Amino acid sequence: MTPTNLNTEQLVKLCIAKNQSAQLEIYNRYYKAMYNTALRIVKNNFEAEDIMQDSFLLAFTKLESLKDVKIFGSWLKRIVINNSIYHYKKNNKVHEVPLDDILYKVEDSNDGIDSNYEFTTIKAQDILNTMKTLKDNYRIALTLNLIEGYDYEEISEIMSISNTNCRTTISRAKASLRQKLQVAI
């Protein structure tokens, strides 16, 4: 049976046994999604490609530590996101004042969504393009929350910020995105 006919779980087991054709098949199945994930965070094609390839190398060398082969895709995505955040922070070492030092409390009662706004008329690509124009911390937080599906606690851990700061950042990012989308319409 060729690797293209196997499911992901079978391929991962072959990869643990150092089967190179299985590794190539895993790479071919996941590289586009992992590249896009990295690109949304670092906003640089070459850096995203490097991050994606480094993440695959790391994943293949640490595959024995994966406890459940059924979660390989999400495990690989987590590696890509962590590597992307690391590279982003390394390349953008700017001294920032934590929002916790400035803010007391911001409540987001409607989760950033205005119920009377017509989201159905906006194309997804327009939203993604507009997201690219947001401040980097807004773009990363929204990408992790809305596109990758991480919750506030996971995002605050990934971005090394407090839970309150995470909620505030996402709330402000949504408001900024809404404002930019309304201007574009």
Side-chain angles (χ1 to χ4, degrees):
M1 186 174 264
T2 63
T4 56
N5 297 335
L6 299 175
N7 66 31
T8 303
E9 293 173 35
Q10 293 167 322
L11 285 170
V12 169
K13 289 177 183 173
L14 288 173
C15 288
I16 292 172
K18 308 293 186 216
N19 182 316
Q20 289 182 347
S21 61
Q23 289 176 338
L24 179 61
E25 181 60 27
I26 287 279
Y27 178 85
N28 288 334
R29 289 185 186 184
Y30 285 94
Y31 81 93
K32 287 180 186 175
M34 298 304 123
Y35 169 79
N36 288 331
T37 297
L39 182 62
R40 283 191 293 267
I41 294 172
V42 297
K43 289 175 40 174
N44 179 302
N45 293 331
F46 298 111
E47 192 172 351
E49 190 171 322
D50 285 346
I51 290 168
M52 183 255 321
Q53 291 186 6
D54 287 345
S55 298
F56 271 102
L57 287 173
L58 180 62
F60 288 137
T61 58
K62 301 287 185 185
L63 209 48
E64 293 84 17
S65 68
L66 180 62
K67 291 179 176 69
D68 184 6
V69 295
K70 294 177 184 175
I71 63 164
F72 174 78
S74 59
W75 179 72
L76 179 62
K77 183 184 272 190
R78 183 64 173 217
I79 291 171
V80 171
I81 288 173
N82 287 341
N83 281 345
S84 299
I85 297 285
Y86 170 78
H87 283 279
Y88 169 77
K89 285 181 178 178
K90 186 174 84 174
N91 292 336
N92 295 313
K93 287 190 176 180
V94 178
H95 178 68
E96 295 180 8
V97 177
L99 286 175
D100 288 342
D101 294 346
I102 301 167
L103 299 177
Y104 293 107
K105 184 176 180 183
V106 174
E107 291 188 16
D108 189 6
S109 61
N110 62 3
D111 199 31
I113 298 174
D114 190 356
S115 60
N116 62 1
Y117 189 75
E118 296 278 335
F119 281 107
T120 57
T121 61
I122 299 172
K123 295 182 180 158
Q125 192 59 43
D126 293 337
I127 294 172
L128 291 174
N129 289 336
T130 305
M131 279 180 66
K132 291 177 186 176
T133 66
L134 294 174
K135 289 179 11 180
D136 288 340
N137 62 329
Y138 286 1
R139 179 182 45 78
I140 291 171
L142 274 184
T143 297
L144 293 173
N145 184 250
L146 300 177
I147 297 173
E148 303 302 336
Y150 287 98
D151 62 23
Y152 292 128
E153 289 178 16
E154 292 170 318
I155 295 168
S156 51
E157 181 182 318
I158 290 169
M159 294 181 70
S160 301
I161 58 177
S162 71
N163 200 347
T164 305
N165 193 346
C166 177
R167 289 179 182 278
T168 302
T169 301
I170 290 174
S171 176
R172 289 182 176 185
K174 287 177 181 178
S176 179
L177 179 64
R178 245 191 328 276
Q179 182 182 18
K180 288 178 183 260
L181 286 170
Q182 288 175 343
V183 170
I185 293 178

